[in-house]
Every structure is written in structure tokens, then in C-alpha cells.
Amino acid sequence: MKINIVGAGITGLSAAYFLSSQGHSVSVFDSAREIGGISGFFPVEGTSLEKYYHHIFSGHNELLALMNELGVGNEVYFRKTKMGFYFEGQIYPFASAKDLLSFTPLKIRDRVRLGLSSLMMMQIKDWRSMEKKSAIEWLRTYAGNEACKIVWEPLLKMKFGNDYDRISAAWLWNRVVDRKKAKGNSTEKEALGYIRGGYKILFDALMDKVKLNGGIIHTDTPVDEIIVKDGKCTGIRSSDAIYSGDAVLATVSVPTFLKMTPQLPDEYVERTSSVIYQNSVCVVLKLTKSLSDYYWINVSDPGSPFVGIIEHTKLLSPENYGNYHLVYLTKYTSSDDAMYTKPDEEVCKTFIARLKKIFPDIADDDIKERWVFRDRDSQPIFVKNYSRMMPEIVTPIRGLYLLNTSQLYPESRCLNSSIVKSKEAVKEILADNGE
């Protein structure tokens, strides 16, 4: 078979690898100059760093297995990390049962109730039983109003804005379960993984294998249209060039997919358009000193422009980056949020000013370099009963397939779940074509 794949992120490249390894002809197209998609990277002090924070949970077996298969599994390592919670001017440790019992903003009975609600969630096996309720509804019932007011509501509002009370409890369930997998048998700290040298190692290995298998990767090549004739997908058009094939797998966001496929049925377009997204804004700072002992700090502060502080060099030591400390400040925005369109310098100024309020010891001279990254439609919003609206891999057009982050539910965007779904997409494509 000859398959054209739109998008050179983890989903597109892993699907290309699986297909080409089985002897199929694949061509991958991406509008960016480099591979990686939302997991793209940039140079820092002689190595590479991702535009957005990344880490591996110990339960991410498909990712780890793929890296072993590609011959780069020995580059993965795990480290115990600390998690904190910023509230009313103070950072509290927030990773273990002991930390929770010491969380003084909540009364002791509310601390216990909050902890029990997490344990209760971990015992739930089938996420489908939870998606009928919103996360905040479930939390108010089992964690209590005070825990929601101080912990959960601010975090959900910071992450999802006006949609915070629509988010499926199944999404929250997955987050809690993933955290449990990261801890393993530890009751104190999370063991998180990373790739020495950055995720570029994984993407380069995928690209090399696809090319070795005869595949072609076209970067800086935007796809203008997915071509459909007589109800069958026959290829793609990029500028004035036509690339024919037996099937197309689109790994772009739903809005982008709908724009490039004008012949989709109206009913499908209407139903699929119900999937809504958030945009991402991330500021990365190169500092001369560390902020704290925490890898991750959730920021519960309505006045903060960012929801998370992730000190990457608590996961991979500063020696790998010229002894500098690297910090992510992350924010999700709605399509009409002014922060997404503000100039980079203004975004940096706003983020850094708030960071200095949290860490007053940070001076301008400590900030040696800064970067701003933005991506549109980066995070789908998983509302109640989302499984009813989630697009299927197989589209109404023969030979046309769709796979993106909107189909990972109840999991959030992560490389492991994208690899799992790419295998599923490959099976669908081959089965539909008698392979």
C-alpha cells in the first residue's frame, strides 16, 4: 500500500514507522521545517530541549518499548521528583499522604477527605462510569466543598477557564491514575523519566528508521487539500504538487483537518466541530540559579498568568545545559484570550513579574535567556460524555483516516497514548484494505 501521512509529530511518525516496517510505502508531510509537532524542540547549550515540558511515567510501556525497538531505550532514566502547591504566598509540598496531612490551608477533616477521594478514584477500574459527571461535580461530592474551593476549583479554572465546570470526571480519573503509576510503591515522591539529550533523540531515531524502510519525510511542505474523488480519498495536494496514494492518515487537529477536507459530509463536519480546543502559551527561562527543590509547582492563584512552574533541571541536571537552570511557565488559553496574541516581550514581562512575586530572590541578572512558544488547538477540552462526540479513526470517506489528540480520551496529550492509538490506526488502515 501507498499511504500519505499528514503531520510529523509523534502520531504521524510512529504510524509511518509501523507501516513502513511492514513493507508499505509511506510519505509524511509537515508544514514545519522540523519534525516533532507539538513535541518539537530547540537548541540550548549544545543540546536540545522541548518547547513544552515532557516527562515519562513508569507505566508508559508503549513509549519505552518503542524506544527499545529503535535502539535508544538506554537513554531513558528515572528520577524521584518533588511536587509543590502554591497558595496564598506559600509553597507547600504536595506529593504524598504525609504532605496532604500537613497542608494547613485545609482543616484536618478536609485534608483527610481530600486524600480519601483520591484513593477512591484509584479504585475505579472503568472510566466510563465517571464521564457522566463533571470533574468538579465528582470532587464536590467526594472531596468536599472546602477542598474544591482551595485546591481543585482554582486549578481547573486556570487550566480550562470558563469551561472548568464542564470537564469530564473521566479525565480527572486518568490524571490521578497516571500519578499513582509514577509513584509505584513509593509513598513519598514521584519517579519520572526523561531522555538524556532530549526527545530529539526519539524523533531522529523514528525519522531514520522510516527513511531506512524506504519512507519519505517532507518538511516545510504544508498540505492544502486532501483530495477526494467519487467518495474515495486519492491523495493530497501541496502547493501545485499532487501526491497520490491508497490512503491518507491525517494527524492534525480537527479544525485543520476540516479545512483541508472540503468534501466531508455536512453531518460529520457538524458533529466533529463540537470538539473544542485550547491554545498553549509557554515561556522557557534559562536561569543562573535554581528556583526551589520542586520539579513541579501547581499555582493556585487567580492573579497568576501561568498555572504551572516546571523546573526541568530537577529532572535532568543543570550540568547537561552548561550549568544553567531551565524553567517552564505554562498557560492554556481559549481562542479569544489576549495572552495568545500578545507580543513575546509582553508575555515574558507578565510571566516573569509574577514569577518574581513567588520567588523574590530572582533578579533580572539571573535570567540569561528566554523563549516564548505558542501552539493553536493544542489541547482538546474533554467535556462530560465526551466519548459520544469523540471522532473515530475511520472517516466517512473511503481511504481517509483521522488521528489526533482529540481521540486520546480519557488520557491527556502524551506520547505514550499517541503511540498506542497510532498502532490502532495502522490496524484500521490495513484491515480496511484487506491487509
Side-chain angles (χ1 to χ4, degrees):
M1 285 183 65
K2 184 177 181 181
I3 302 104
N4 292 312
I5 298 174
V6 185
I10 187 62
T11 305
L13 286 178
S14 58
Y17 167 68
F18 297 135
L19 285 163
S20 63
S21 296
Q22 297 181 53
H24 299 284
S25 174
V26 297
S27 295
V28 183
F29 302 83
D30 201 289
S31 59
R33 293 184 178 180
E34 296 181 348
I35 60 174
I38 195 76
S39 299
F41 24 80
F42 64 104
V44 178
E45 297 296 322
T47 187
S48 69
L49 182 70
E50 295 70 47
K51 295 185 297 181
Y52 303 97
Y53 62 89
H54 278 70
H55 52 246
I56 303 169
F57 288 131
S58 57
H60 286 176
N61 297 322
E62 289 291 340
L63 170 59
L64 296 171
L66 176 60
M67 292 193 66
N68 286 329
E69 191 174 324
L70 294 170
V72 293
N74 60 339
E75 299 299 334
V76 178
Y77 75 99
F78 285 85
R79 172 179 288 183
K80 296 288 186 180
T81 60
K82 291 183 177 181
M83 181 177 177
F85 188 90
Y86 177 80
F87 178 75
E88 292 188 346
Q90 185 172 340
I91 300 173
Y92 298 86
F94 212 74
S96 67
K98 180 181 177 181
D99 293 339
L100 181 57
L101 289 174
S102 303
F103 186 62
T104 53
L106 285 175
K107 294 179 180 179
I108 186 66
R109 67 172 182 270
D110 294 312
R111 298 175 219 168
V112 172
R113 190 172 178 183
L114 177 58
L116 290 175
S117 68
S118 296
L119 291 174
M120 182 184 301
M121 194 173 290
M122 290 175 192
Q123 302 305 311
I124 296 172
K125 303 299 182 184
D126 186 1
W127 58 265
R128 292 171 182 81
S129 65
M130 298 193 68
E131 73 164 351
K132 296 178 182 178
K133 284 189 174 184
S134 70
I136 200 66
E137 286 174 328
W138 195 95
L139 289 165
R140 283 173 179 153
T141 300
Y142 297 103
N145 289 330
E146 283 302 306
C148 285
K149 178 182 177 182
I150 292 175
V151 177
W152 285 113
E153 279 191 29
L155 292 178
L156 287 169
K157 286 179 179 178
M158 284 292 292
K159 185 170 179 61
F160 297 108
N162 293 334
D163 292 301
Y164 85 97
D165 56 353
R166 300 175 60 211
I167 304 305
S168 168
W171 170 85
L172 180 67
W173 169 86
N174 180 74
R175 300 281 290 193
V176 171
V177 169
D178 257 3
R179 289 287 184 192
K180 175 60 177 176
K181 289 179 182 178
K183 288 184 180 181
N185 295 323
S186 171
T187 59
E188 294 301 320
K189 301 177 184 177
E190 295 184 51
L192 299 176
Y194 189 69
I195 304 171
R196 295 181 183 88
Y199 279 67
K200 187 176 187 297
I201 289 174
L202 167 61
F203 282 94
D204 283 348
L206 273 172
M207 180 175 63
D208 291 344
K209 288 290 187 180
V210 170
K211 290 181 176 179
L212 186 64
N213 293 337
I216 302 172
I217 298 176
H218 304 266
T219 54
D220 202 15
T221 309
V223 172
D224 301 314
E225 182 182 1
I226 294 175
I227 302 171
V228 179
K229 292 183 179 179
D230 300 323
K232 172 74 168 65
C233 179
T234 60
I236 64 167
R237 179 175 60 81
S238 176
S239 296
D240 295 327
I242 302 295
Y243 300 86
S244 60
D246 301 302
V248 169
L249 172 62
T251 66
V252 294
S253 69
V254 167
T256 301
F257 174 67
L258 296 180
K259 287 179 183 177
M260 64 175 56
T261 319
Q263 295 193 43
L264 285 165
D266 291 343
E267 183 276 332
Y268 177 86
V269 172
E270 182 178 356
R271 175 166 52 86
T272 310
S273 296
S274 63
V275 177
I276 55 176
Y277 285 83
Q278 290 178 299
N279 305 328
S280 296
V281 178
C282 186
V283 173
V284 185
L285 302 177
K286 186 173 80 173
L287 307 176
T288 59
K289 60 185 180 183
S290 173
L291 294 178
S292 71
D293 291 334
Y294 297 101
Y295 165 64
W296 185 301
I297 299 173
N298 282 319
V299 179
S300 178
D301 178 359
S304 174
F306 49 81
V307 67
I309 303 171
I310 298 93
E311 189 164 344
H312 172 77
T313 36
K314 295 302 177 185
L315 195 55
L316 187 65
S317 62
E319 288 79 7
N320 294 276
Y321 306 98
N323 290 316
Y324 287 105
H325 303 263
L326 300 172
V327 175
Y328 292 94
L329 305 176
T330 67
K331 177 180 177 63
Y332 294 95
T333 75
S334 61
S335 58
D336 58 353
D337 192 317
M339 187 62 70
Y340 188 77
T341 57
K342 286 183 177 180
D344 286 359
E345 191 55 40
E346 189 172 345
V347 172
C348 281
K349 182 178 179 181
T350 302
F351 277 46
I352 291 171
R354 179 60 60 169
L355 183 68
K356 288 180 178 178
K357 288 187 176 181
I358 299 174
F359 296 101
D361 291 341
I362 295 297
D364 289 337
D365 288 346
D366 295 318
I367 304 171
K368 294 305 180 185
E369 206 163 353
R370 63 198 74 181
W371 300 267
V372 178
F373 299 104
R374 313 164 201 249
D375 275 277
R376 188 173 295 280
D377 299 331
S378 62
Q379 176 69 56
I381 298 178
F382 296 150
V383 297
K384 289 192 297 184
N385 294 310
Y386 180 82
S387 63
R388 298 178 185 177
M389 67 177 70
M390 182 170 66
E392 295 181 350
I393 293 172
V394 178
T395 75
I397 294 174
R398 286 181 292 119
L400 178 58
Y401 305 86
L402 174 68
L403 182 58
N404 56 43
T405 55
S406 74
Q407 293 152 290
L408 303 182
Y409 178 77
E411 296 190 29
S412 292
R413 180 186 69 218
C414 79
L415 272 66
N416 187 75
S417 50
S418 294
I419 294 166
V420 171
K421 293 295 286 188
S422 70
K423 284 187 174 182
E424 185 180 327
V426 166
K427 289 181 180 179
E428 293 271 16
I429 294 169
L430 298 182
D432 278 358
N433 291 272
E435 296 285 341

